Amino acid sequence: MNKIIIYDTTLRDGAQTEGVSFSVDDKLRIARRLDQLGVDYIEGGWPGANLKDIEFFERIKHIKLTHARLTAFGSTRHRAQTAKSDPNLQSLLLADVPVITLFGKSWDLHAEQVLGVTLPENLELIYDSLSYLVSKVDEVIYDAEHFFDGYKANPEYALQTLKTAESAGVKCLVLCDTNGGTLPDEVGHIINQVKAELSTPLGIHTHNDAGLAVASSLTAIKYGARHIHGTINGYGERCGNANLCVLIPNIKLKLRQDCISDEQLTQLTELSWFVSELANLRHQSHQPYVGESAFAHKGGVHVSAVQKVAHSYEHIRPELVGNKRKVLISDQSGQGAIVYKAREYGLDLTKNTPEVQQLLAEVKQRELDGFQFEGAEGSFELMVKKAKGLHKKLFELIGFRVIVERREHDREAWAEATIKIRTPQGVEQTAADGDGPVDALNCALRKALEKFYPAIKEVKLIDYKVRIINEHEGTGARTRVLLESGDEESSWNTVGVSANIIEASWQALVDSIEYKLLKEEMQQEPE
Amino acid sequence: MNKIIIYDTTLRDGAQTEGVSFSVDDKLRIARRLDQLGVDYIEGGWPGANLKDIEFFERIKHIKLTHARLTAFGSTRHRAQTAKSDPNLQSLLLADVPVITLFGKSWDLHAEQVLGVTLPENLELIYDSLSYLVSKVDEVIYDAEHFFDGYKANPEYALQTLKTAESAGVKCLVLCDTNGGTLPDEVGHIINQVKAELSTPLGIHTHNDAGLAVASSLTAIKYGARHIHGTINGYGERCGNANLCVLIPNIKLKLRQDCISDEQLTQLTELSWFVSELANLRHQSHQPYVGESAFAHKGGVHVSAVQKVAHSYEHIRPELVGNKRKVLISDQSGQGAIVYKAREYGLDLTKNTPEVQQLLAEVKQRELDGFQFEGAEGSFELMVKKAKGLHKKLFELIGFRVIVERREHDREAWAEATIKIRTPQGVEQTAADGDGPVDALNCALRKALEKFYPAIKEVKLIDYKVRIINEHEGTGARTRVLLESGDEESSWNTVGVSANIIEASWQALVDSIEYKLLKEEMQQEPE
């Protein structure tokens, strides 16, 4: 009865994010996952504005969605067209979906100065377009663009646009804070005023330009809105849309209102990662609920307190959203943290055993040298596996040399690396160019190893971070390199430290490659 | 009268961000900029927990803050100590600041299970510690840790802790949502209940674990809180703290309440970038108000609509926060900024002159290439001086070569650089070892030049920072190097960008040396 309806627009409004360009395949994969998550509506795209979206609607017909209803998005007819002749409305019908979401102008300024129509004409556009679509498809949803700004400028007119849409027979009136600048209190106040005049269910669609998209959506729910629009990871143009990865847990765990199921909620973190992968954007580590740091704890006392009384430092149990507690391995951590971490890798260690004591001593020594395992768990996992005797040396370095050179008339310096390694299968010597010295070394190492270990071809370097750890020594300071690598299944982080950036990069590169090879081996030999 | 007090904890709570480690120099530079922004309090650190913070408080004594009050942060005394014998409280006094912020436990669960004291004992810890400090320093602020969770669990006790702090004579009671899980409505409701019982001004300190830190702070203001705690860019552990870059504009532009001045507000975007540079974290492009995408507009119609009626698609004017509209390769304004900057270096430039137009074009081109002059003003100043014809070429590179090599039994790689330069006084060719390739190159360059320009001997490299600017390309990504150099009188920052880290470092090194030599020359020939 009191269920909150989740309306996802990741594939339409979310795709407006600067730098994001989903392929049709990406969109199909995301749609399937959104359906599994249990969202009620998936806004697939704007077929009138985007050829890719026409293909999407064509291809998604072959995919069976178990719960979600698919919607196509578009605008009211052009003033020079009738509803029937309008190409934009026709393309919506051609999308052949059960639900159409149409947006129209609520703000007098926009009707007159952007659209260039009179206020009564704008009402006609809304009525004609909606009533035509209502006669053609199962369900029509009306997005009242700029509703809150419009209401503040001319409340009578803004309300009239909603009444017009209502009289055309739409199933839901969605109030949009298109520019994202409305405060939650204003949202609540305005909804409170308009809802008395309307009988159609209300929805809310917010943007995050004042950092308040989630808060405004929650306020709208409090005042009676039932359709909640948002995107995975809060993607969207400018500062993004209301973030469903934050809104959904807030609705379920804080407001204690029904939407997706408890079981579906546990998929949220994985879905958040999945969408960021396909968007080719780095996952926001500090994102509430689903971020990698969202449940991260530093320090020994803190960690043992969390283990004793989890809610002393955690506002929810991370498992509820499919996330997990992250114990940061640092010099403040004790044996407990190491045992806890090892368990995450499926390795059993016991406190107060020599192997744990030795690992802890090693962590502390390496952290003194400038290592940081926080953010380099791949290297830490490798250390644990070495301590457990699970690690075989797969190659040895005989030598490398990296040369960077620049002559008078060069625009930039160039780099070349040579390398010689020994594997159980033989010695390999090779060389490669690179964009810089580290890239050259990376290329040469992989070239040398791929022959023996073809799995290395799957490894991509995702991120490369360099930090100077005792800055006061200028260019002679120690350098810490953090490397993020990944294959099709997962990603891992490794670390290297040296006064020499090439040496530090080399250590992190070797850890990354060893991590991958060990992972492959353990998958081939099931325990 | 109704002024909102801004309390910044970037240097303490913000420094808890995963992966962030500010040097003492970083902290001093940030403190100076926060003061210019007009924040009322700068929480400098926790001297009882952190050796670096002791150094910070020592060194900041030599810096004159124009407006902000500096505070040191710490916890109530240990139960086995008296206030006078407690080392943590003593280290706060040794920090020698006018304001101390002390936190204590509000939540019965934490007092009993984490601290291991009885509820009355906890009240004693609070009273003793605060009344002792009140007798020693100008102003004591009380942070009621986990206040909202504590109040929900045991309202009488939580309120009693506040009353205890009040009776000890503190100037402000700050209600903390330490775990970040409280909804704005709950925050409002609870503040409303407690404020009737207290006469001390209230503050609010929120974390963003439910994506609501900013919203909760605004609600707290509505219910009477006057001290607002937060961090630049929302830095902080887990999901971060309330973001001052969002809160301050919301307070000024949306609530229309007084805090920093209009002019100071225009520094906000620049400060946000500056702090992210020093944190060595990538600036969040979708961040409300100060993000690069916050006022980005796609598409022709949209762009022309914005140019016609700016507020049709913008909730505020971006200039108000020092940000700008981003329109594909826009060339609005810019000249003003360059003239403004140049004036800072004592150089007069005039808008619409060819020299300014050319500088602007050069800045834009270099920014497209990945340069960033925020935090590298030395390189920018050099560009301006070159444009003014104040720069003579003092040396030319004939060539350099850097070799990094590692053989089987070496513990680490070694590095050597050779260099050949031409100066008006002759050609010099030399070589040097270094801790790494950049250090070797630096040593070789200086060795070659010192013969002709002995002033170079005074230059120390203070800091060296490396950032990857398009991370998704792994080790082949573009690298930005920021170098801080100094002599006995001053320090300057220079920048270089290239896919090759050696090339980028070379650019920054050359700028640094040229900056020094030009500075020497201008001092010798007074204008």
Side-chain angles (χ1 to χ4, degrees):
Chain A
M1 182 56 212
N2 215 11
K3 189 168 183 278
I4 300 295
I5 305 299
I6 304 296
Y7 183 108
D8 180 278
T9 177
T10 307
L11 301 181
R12 204 269 310 165
D13 231 5
Q16 300 289 311
T17 314
E18 226 183 310
V20 166
S21 164
F22 292 126
S23 68
V24 174
D25 280 317
D26 292 338
K27 292 183 74 161
L28 293 169
R29 289 174 74 190
I30 292 171
R32 218 189 300 236
R33 296 287 289 263
L34 287 169
D35 181 48
Q36 288 163 13
L37 182 73
V39 309
D40 300 289
Y41 293 89
I42 298 171
E43 191 170 270
W46 186 345
N50 202 330
L51 284 179
K52 228 198 280 178
D53 288 354
I54 295 175
E55 188 190 337
F56 168 80
F57 284 110
E58 189 51 44
R59 288 179 56 194
I60 199 164
K61 285 176 192 159
H62 309 293
I63 293 176
K64 191 163 164 40
L65 300 179
T66 60
H67 170 78
R69 306 198 85 187
L70 194 66
T71 96
F73 178 88
S75 69
T76 50
R77 70 166 168 83
H78 192 274
R79 59 183 166 151
Q81 301 284 348
T82 65
K84 213 171 158 177
S85 71
D86 188 75
N88 174 47
L89 296 188
Q90 289 310 311
S91 67
L92 286 169
L93 294 177
L94 284 173
D96 192 19
V97 286
V99 188
I100 287 174
T101 301
L102 207 76
F103 80 94
K105 297 289 188 190
S106 326
W107 191 353
D108 52 6
L109 170 94
H110 263 262
E112 293 176 332
Q113 296 197 37
V114 179
L115 223 52
V117 296
T118 66
L119 298 186
E121 268 178 316
N122 180 47
L123 296 179
E124 275 172 38
L125 299 186
I126 295 172
Y127 184 81
D128 284 1
S129 309
L130 291 174
S131 56
Y132 175 71
L133 292 176
V134 164
S135 74
K136 298 284 182 186
V137 296
D138 201 24
E139 191 177 344
V140 177
I141 293 172
Y142 179 62
D143 268 12
E145 198 195 20
H146 291 112
F147 181 74
F148 297 97
D149 290 316
Y151 191 87
K152 284 187 270 182
N154 184 342
E156 296 76 22
Y157 185 70
L159 185 59
Q160 222 180 334
T161 64
L162 291 185
K163 286 185 172 170
T164 303
E166 182 167 67
S167 70
V170 300
K171 288 279 172 62
C172 182
L173 298 167
V174 181
L175 311 182
C176 302
D177 187 28
T178 310
N179 290 1
T182 309
L183 297 176
D185 276 356
E186 292 176 307
V187 167
H189 177 71
I190 292 174
I191 292 182
N192 212 26
Q193 295 200 312
V194 302
K195 77 178 172 194
E197 313 260 349
L198 301 162
S199 56
T200 309
L202 295 182
I204 182 78
H205 175 113
T206 59
H207 284 258
N208 202 37
D209 298 73
L212 296 163
V214 167
S216 287
S217 302
L218 295 180
T219 301
I221 290 174
K222 180 177 161 188
Y223 285 95
R226 281 296 164 269
H227 264 246
I228 311 304
H229 288 211
T231 61
I232 298 299
N233 299 326
Y235 291 150
E237 58 185 331
R238 303 190 314 273
C239 310
N241 287 55
N243 186 347
L244 287 179
C245 296
V246 183
L247 258 175
I248 291 175
N250 277 341
I251 291 169
K252 279 200 62 90
L253 305 174
K254 304 278 174 176
L255 300 185
R256 304 221 165 265
Q257 295 208 43
D258 193 20
C259 54
I260 67 174
S261 75
D262 292 351
E263 193 282 325
Q264 287 167 328
L265 186 62
T266 65
Q267 301 170 19
L268 196 64
T269 300
E270 205 183 324
L271 179 63
S272 164
W273 278 90
F274 178 79
V275 174
S276 75
E277 275 304 302
L278 296 199
N280 204 14
L281 291 179
R282 107 188 248 105
H283 197 252
Q284 295 295 330
S285 62
H286 57 273
Q287 196 177 158
Y289 293 104
V290 296
E292 220 183 324
S293 307
F295 302 94
H297 300 283
K298 268 185 188 174
V301 178
H302 208 134
V303 168
S304 69
V306 171
Q307 280 166 342
K308 245 192 295 176
V309 200
H311 68 294
S312 63
Y313 287 103
E314 283 171 356
H315 72 123
I316 63 149
R317 284 192 295 119
E319 311 83 73
L320 296 177
V321 292
N323 205 342
K324 56 186 180 187
R325 184 174 303 150
K326 185 174 178 187
V327 173
L328 302 177
I329 296 297
S330 74
D331 61 355
Q332 295 171 48
S333 61
Q335 292 195 23
I338 285 185
V339 171
Y340 180 91
K341 278 310 266 184
R343 201 165 299 146
E344 282 182 14
Y345 313 134
L347 297 170
D348 256 333
L349 291 178
T350 314
K351 262 194 185 179
N352 299 319
T353 54
E355 88 195 339
V356 171
Q357 278 156 353
Q358 200 191 311
L359 262 171
L360 183 59
E362 196 178 338
V363 166
K364 292 201 163 171
Q365 182 53 50
R366 293 183 79 178
E367 292 209 330
L368 272 181
D369 294 343
F371 278 78
Q372 185 184 351
F373 293 102
E374 174 187 326
E377 277 136 356
S379 287
F380 179 74
E381 188 175 340
L382 215 54
M383 268 175 63
V384 175
K385 287 182 174 164
K386 283 178 185 172
K388 293 283 286 181
L390 290 168
H391 171 259
K392 279 180 284 196
K393 216 164 175 52
L394 297 166
F395 66 94
E396 276 173 328
L397 178 72
I398 299 173
F400 67 70
R401 179 188 298 128
V402 183
I403 297 177
V404 181
E405 194 166 325
R406 177 170 166 173
R407 296 287 133 197
E408 195 155 9
H409 301 292
D410 294 344
R411 267 201 68 216
E412 291 217 326
W414 57 265
E416 184 200 50
T418 62
I419 195 163
K420 193 170 173 187
I421 53 160
R422 184 185 300 116
T423 75
Q425 297 90 332
V427 167
E428 179 74 14
Q429 184 163 20
T430 188
D433 287 339
D435 288 330
V438 179
D439 190 46
L441 187 59
N442 176 38
C443 293
L445 173 63
R446 289 155 64 111
K447 199 169 153 194
L449 284 171
E450 273 171 17
K451 187 171 149 187
F452 308 109
Y453 305 110
I456 287 170
K457 286 188 189 130
E458 295 159 18
V459 181
K460 287 175 309 178
L461 290 181
I462 299 171
D463 193 2
Y464 174 72
K465 275 201 165 71
V466 178
R467 181 154 298 154
I468 307 304
I469 42 193
N470 46 350
E471 298 125 12
H472 289 296
E473 308 190 14
T475 53
R478 289 182 80 77
T479 301
R480 179 166 61 227
V481 166
L482 282 176
L483 209 61
E484 185 180 355
S485 318
D487 55 20
E488 276 158 22
E489 301 169 324
S490 63
S491 70
W492 55 95
N493 297 279
T494 55
V495 61
V497 174
S498 166
N500 186 327
I501 191 173
I502 308 295
E503 171 67 31
S505 304
W506 168 256
Q507 294 168 6
L509 275 173
V510 169
D511 268 10
S512 167
I513 299 280
E514 289 200 327
Y515 183 99
K516 167 68 175 175
L517 296 177
L518 201 56
K519 183 168 92 113
E520 289 294 305
E521 217 169 59
M522 289 177 85
Q523 280 172 350
Q524 282 159 19
E525 307 162 17
E527 296 156 86
Chain B
M1 182 58 209
N2 215 12
K3 188 169 184 276
I4 300 295
I5 305 298
I6 305 294
Y7 183 107
D8 179 279
T9 178
T10 306
L11 300 180
R12 204 270 309 165
D13 230 5
Q16 300 290 311
T17 313
E18 217 182 315
V20 166
S21 165
F22 291 125
S23 69
V24 174
D25 280 316
D26 291 338
K27 291 183 73 160
L28 293 169
R29 290 175 76 190
I30 292 171
R32 218 187 299 233
R33 296 287 291 258
L34 286 168
D35 181 47
Q36 288 164 11
L37 182 72
V39 309
D40 301 287
Y41 293 89
I42 297 170
E43 191 170 88
W46 185 344
N50 202 331
L51 285 178
K52 228 196 281 179
D53 288 353
I54 294 175
E55 188 189 337
F56 168 81
F57 284 110
E58 190 49 42
R59 290 180 54 195
I60 199 163
K61 284 176 194 156
H62 309 293
I63 293 176
K64 194 165 160 41
L65 299 179
T66 58
H67 170 79
R69 306 199 85 188
L70 194 67
T71 98
F73 178 87
S75 69
T76 50
R77 69 166 168 83
H78 192 271
R79 60 184 166 152
Q81 301 283 348
T82 65
K84 215 173 158 174
S85 71
D86 188 75
N88 174 46
L89 296 187
Q90 290 310 312
S91 66
L92 286 169
L93 294 177
L94 285 172
D96 193 17
V97 285
V99 188
I100 288 176
T101 302
L102 208 76
F103 78 93
K105 297 289 188 189
S106 328
W107 191 353
D108 52 7
L109 169 95
H110 263 262
E112 294 177 330
Q113 297 198 38
V114 178
L115 223 51
V117 297
T118 65
L119 298 186
E121 270 178 313
N122 180 47
L123 296 179
E124 277 171 36
L125 299 185
I126 294 171
Y127 185 81
D128 285 2
S129 311
L130 291 174
S131 55
Y132 174 71
L133 294 176
V134 164
S135 73
K136 297 283 182 187
V137 297
D138 200 25
E139 189 178 344
V140 178
I141 292 172
Y142 179 62
D143 267 12
E145 198 196 19
H146 290 114
F147 181 75
F148 296 96
D149 290 316
Y151 192 87
K152 284 188 271 181
N154 185 342
E156 295 77 20
Y157 185 70
L159 185 58
Q160 223 180 331
T161 63
L162 292 185
K163 287 184 170 170
T164 303
E166 182 167 68
S167 70
V170 301
K171 289 277 172 64
C172 182
L173 298 167
V174 182
L175 311 182
C176 302
D177 186 28
T178 309
N179 290 1
T182 308
L183 296 178
D185 276 356
E186 292 176 307
V187 167
H189 177 70
I190 292 173
I191 293 182
N192 212 26
Q193 294 200 313
V194 303
K195 75 175 173 195
E197 313 260 348
L198 302 162
S199 57
T200 309
L202 295 181
I204 182 79
H205 174 113
T206 60
H207 284 258
N208 202 37
D209 298 74
L212 296 163
V214 166
S216 287
S217 302
L218 295 181
T219 302
I221 290 174
K222 179 176 160 186
Y223 285 95
R226 280 296 165 270
H227 264 246
I228 310 305
H229 288 211
T231 61
I232 298 299
N233 299 328
Y235 292 151
E237 58 184 332
R238 303 190 313 274
C239 310
N241 287 52
N243 187 348
L244 287 180
C245 296
V246 183
L247 258 175
I248 291 175
N250 277 340
I251 291 169
K252 280 200 58 90
L253 305 175
K254 305 280 174 176
L255 300 186
R256 304 223 164 262
Q257 296 207 43
D258 192 20
C259 53
I260 66 174
S261 74
D262 293 349
E263 193 281 327
Q264 287 167 327
L265 185 62
T266 65
Q267 301 171 20
L268 196 65
T269 300
E270 205 182 324
L271 180 63
S272 165
W273 278 91
F274 178 79
V275 174
S276 76
E277 277 301 307
L278 296 198
N280 205 8
L281 290 178
R282 138 194 216 93
H283 197 252
Q284 295 295 329
S285 62
H286 58 273
Q287 199 177 155
Y289 294 104
V290 297
E292 218 183 325
S293 306
F295 300 95
H297 298 284
K298 272 186 184 175
V301 179
H302 206 134
V303 169
S304 71
V306 169
Q307 280 165 341
K308 242 192 298 176
V309 199
H311 68 295
S312 64
Y313 287 103
E314 281 171 357
H315 71 123
I316 63 150
R317 283 193 295 120
E319 309 85 73
L320 296 176
V321 292
N323 206 343
K324 55 185 179 190
R325 185 175 304 152
K326 190 174 172 186
V327 178
L328 291 159
I329 318 167
S330 98
D331 53 322
Q332 311 294 323
S333 68
Q335 289 199 25
I338 286 183
V339 172
Y340 179 87
K341 273 273 184 229
R343 202 164 297 148
E344 283 181 15
Y345 313 133
L347 297 169
D348 256 333
L349 291 177
T350 314
K351 259 193 186 179
N352 299 318
T353 54
E355 84 194 345
V356 171
Q357 278 156 354
Q358 200 190 312
L359 260 172
L360 181 61
E362 195 179 339
V363 166
K364 290 201 166 170
Q365 181 56 48
R366 293 183 80 178
E367 289 200 333
L368 272 183
D369 293 343
F371 278 79
Q372 176 164 346
F373 294 100
E374 240 338 287
E377 288 97 354
S379 286
F380 180 74
E381 189 174 339
L382 213 55
M383 269 175 63
V384 175
K385 288 181 175 166
K386 283 180 185 174
K388 292 283 286 181
L390 291 167
H391 171 260
K392 278 181 286 195
K393 216 161 177 55
L394 298 166
F395 65 94
E396 276 174 327
L397 178 73
I398 300 174
F400 67 71
R401 179 189 297 129
V402 183
I403 297 177
V404 181
E405 193 165 326
R406 178 169 166 173
R407 296 287 132 197
E408 195 155 8
H409 301 294
D410 294 345
R411 265 200 71 216
E412 291 217 326
W414 57 266
E416 186 199 49
T418 62
I419 195 163
K420 193 170 174 187
I421 53 161
R422 182 185 301 116
T423 75
Q425 297 91 332
V427 167
E428 179 74 14
Q429 182 163 21
T430 188
D433 287 338
D435 288 331
V438 179
D439 190 46
L441 187 59
N442 176 39
C443 294
L445 173 64
R446 291 154 63 111
K447 201 170 153 194
L449 286 171
E450 274 169 15
K451 190 170 145 187
F452 308 107
Y453 306 109
I456 286 171
K457 284 189 189 131
E458 297 160 16
V459 181
K460 288 176 307 179
L461 289 181
I462 299 170
D463 192 2
Y464 174 72
K465 279 196 159 79
V466 179
R467 274 293 273 295
I468 307 302
I469 40 192
N470 44 351
E471 299 136 6
H472 286 297
E473 308 192 10
T475 53
R478 287 181 82 78
T479 301
R480 178 167 63 226
V481 166
L482 282 176
L483 210 61
E484 185 180 356
S485 317
D487 54 22
E488 276 156 24
E489 305 170 321
S490 63
S491 68
W492 54 94
N493 297 279
T494 54
V495 60
V497 173
S498 166
N500 188 328
I501 191 173
I502 308 298
E503 170 68 30
S505 304
W506 169 257
Q507 294 168 6
L509 276 172
V510 169
D511 268 11
S512 168
I513 299 280
E514 290 200 326
Y515 183 98
K516 167 68 176 173
L517 295 177
L518 201 56
K519 182 166 91 111
E520 289 297 304
E521 216 169 62
M522 288 177 87
Q523 279 171 349
Q524 282 158 20
E525 308 161 17
E527 292 158 86

